Amino acid sequence: MAADSLKQSDLLNRLILDRQTTEELGRFGQLLIDPHAQRVVGFICKSGFMGSQRLALAWSEIESIGKDSILVKQQDSQRQTVGSAPIEAPIGHEIWTDQGERIGKVVDLVFASDRGDLQHYIFTTGGWKGIVEGLYQIPPLAVSSLGKKRIIVLDSVAQAPQRYTEGLGDTVTQVADFLKEDVAQTQQDVAAFKEGAQKFIQRFTDKDTEA
């Protein structure tokens, strides 16, 4: 993988900071891509209770991507031009060939960090046609159509998929770490909610007692 390339899994749950105000906007949730241009055009920033609040930011609003955070400079005019019809990264989509065969599922995306051009869809085969189970990559040019649940690719390319160099264990570990962090954050949110509810109930109980 080239030095200027990133995977979506590299960014999951990373802190998003406003470059001008230094305020925390939330956590990185999901890439937004232009399925026709095969390019990353933005991303979803999640915040609030259990990530219920979602803010779409344009890729051009990113000023820098660090190990611990992503700095953005929000510009409303840019956000309105995130893309003509952006969709969320097709993680979990089934991959089918144009000959009607199901070959696996998308588990990650590799893209250029500067312009956002997609470089590879990373997928698992599940032992399709005797291919050793693991991670494989397929180029965007091989994608003939992309829907809400499935991707259709050229059978000629799918017949000899290129093995992805990073081990399956590494990606699984990254996803597992993200899930652990997400669960921990959810537990904190629930605890805070319960504490607030208890204080609310206690306040009215005290008022009834005084009355």
Side-chain angles (χ1 to χ4, degrees):
M1 188 170 63
D4 61 346
S5 297
L6 285 173
K7 302 191 306 297
Q8 172 169 281
S9 59
D10 293 333
L11 305 176
L12 287 177
N13 210 35
R14 192 166 300 186
L15 182 66
I16 310 297
L17 297 176
D18 188 302
R19 178 68 176 81
Q20 295 175 304
T21 66
T22 73
E23 292 298 318
E24 179 179 330
L25 299 178
R27 298 277 175 170
F28 185 96
Q30 188 91 326
L31 289 173
L32 294 173
I33 68 172
D34 182 332
H36 302 293
Q38 291 289 333
R39 184 167 61 89
V40 172
V41 293
F43 65 97
I44 297 296
C45 174
K46 293 184 177 181
S47 61
F49 181 66
M50 297 182 70
S52 57
Q53 298 178 32
R54 294 159 56 90
L55 173 66
L57 295 168
W59 195 252
S60 56
E61 291 182 272
I62 294 178
E63 288 216 339
S64 62
I65 299 177
K67 181 180 179 181
D68 301 313
S69 68
I70 299 174
L71 300 182
V72 300
K73 185 176 181 180
Q74 296 188 79
Q75 296 183 21
D76 292 336
S77 59
Q78 285 184 312
R79 193 167 308 116
Q80 293 171 1
T81 58
V82 162
S84 56
I87 63 172
E88 292 191 5
I91 305 300
H93 277 40
E94 295 179 350
I95 299 182
W96 291 70
T97 72
D98 55 5
Q99 298 300 309
E101 293 187 87
R102 181 181 180 278
I103 67 173
K105 279 190 176 183
V106 178
V107 296
D108 213 340
L109 298 178
V110 180
F111 62 99
S113 60
D114 52 357
R115 292 173 48 85
D117 296 323
L118 291 180
Q119 297 172 338
H120 300 290
Y121 289 87
I122 303 176
F123 68 98
T124 56
T125 63
W128 176 69
K129 283 194 172 182
I131 295 177
V132 177
E133 189 170 352
L135 290 180
Y136 291 83
Q137 60 189 35
I138 198 162
L141 289 176
V143 176
S144 60
S145 57
L146 197 162
K148 294 181 178 180
K149 296 181 179 180
R150 299 173 186 85
I151 293 177
I152 295 180
V153 301
L154 301 177
D155 184 71
S156 57
V157 177
Q159 291 296 332
Q162 183 179 354
R163 190 75 181 257
Y164 184 61
T165 54
E166 183 179 77
L168 177 60
D170 294 336
T171 296
V172 170
T173 299
Q174 290 171 352
V175 174
D177 289 343
F178 165 69
L179 291 175
K180 287 179 182 178
E181 292 177 3
D182 196 44
V183 169
Q185 183 61 51
T186 299
Q187 290 174 338
Q188 291 177 10
D189 290 339
V190 171
F193 178 78
K194 287 182 177 179
E195 182 180 356
Q198 289 173 349
K199 289 181 179 179
F200 181 79
I201 294 172
Q202 185 62 44
R203 186 171 60 187
F204 278 89
T205 301
D206 293 342
K207 286 185 178 181
D208 290 340
T209 302
E210 292 174 0

